[in-house]
Amino acid sequence: MLYAVMTRDKPDHLEVRLATRQAHIEYLKATGAVLAGPFLNDSGDMDGGLVVVDVEDRAAAEAWATEDPYTKADLFESVTIRAWKRVIG
């Protein structure tokens, strides 16, 4: 089942995101993320993200989010996980 993992970074944590970005991208590739990319603020800086994962259930999506290097680096102010249905793409 597809789940959207939507995150918002803590204020003034761009340096944490940049320092952890390569590990996060490697994690995305290793775990088979279906779709991923950062949200941008009005200045064009990354300040959150959206990842769609294909996992068995919500518990697996939560476990996926917990193991994300960004989570382990304490980057996020909030994480929202919702079931998602692909219609286009």
Side-chain angles (χ1 to χ4, degrees):
M1 181 167 203
L2 296 175
Y3 285 86
V5 179
M6 297 165 284
T7 61
R8 176 177 291 263
D9 295 358
K10 291 179 178 176
D12 302 317
H13 272 62
L14 180 59
E15 66 281 353
V16 174
R17 175 176 279 277
L18 295 175
T20 315
R21 186 167 168 76
Q22 188 59 40
H24 169 73
I25 291 171
E26 290 171 11
Y27 181 68
L28 294 174
K29 290 177 181 178
T31 58
V34 174
L35 175 79
F39 291 122
L40 305 176
N41 63 21
D42 292 339
S43 299
D45 293 324
M46 296 177 285
D47 69 349
L50 167 67
V51 179
V52 176
V53 294
D54 190 356
V55 294
E56 185 174 327
D57 54 25
R58 182 178 177 81
E62 291 171 355
W64 182 93
T66 298
E67 293 301 314
D68 184 344
Y70 281 162
T71 301
K72 292 183 174 189
D74 198 29
L75 174 62
F76 302 131
E77 177 177 85
S78 66
V79 177
T80 302
I81 299 173
R82 299 204 49 199
W84 185 72
K85 180 179 178 181
R86 181 190 318 240
V87 174
I88 298 174

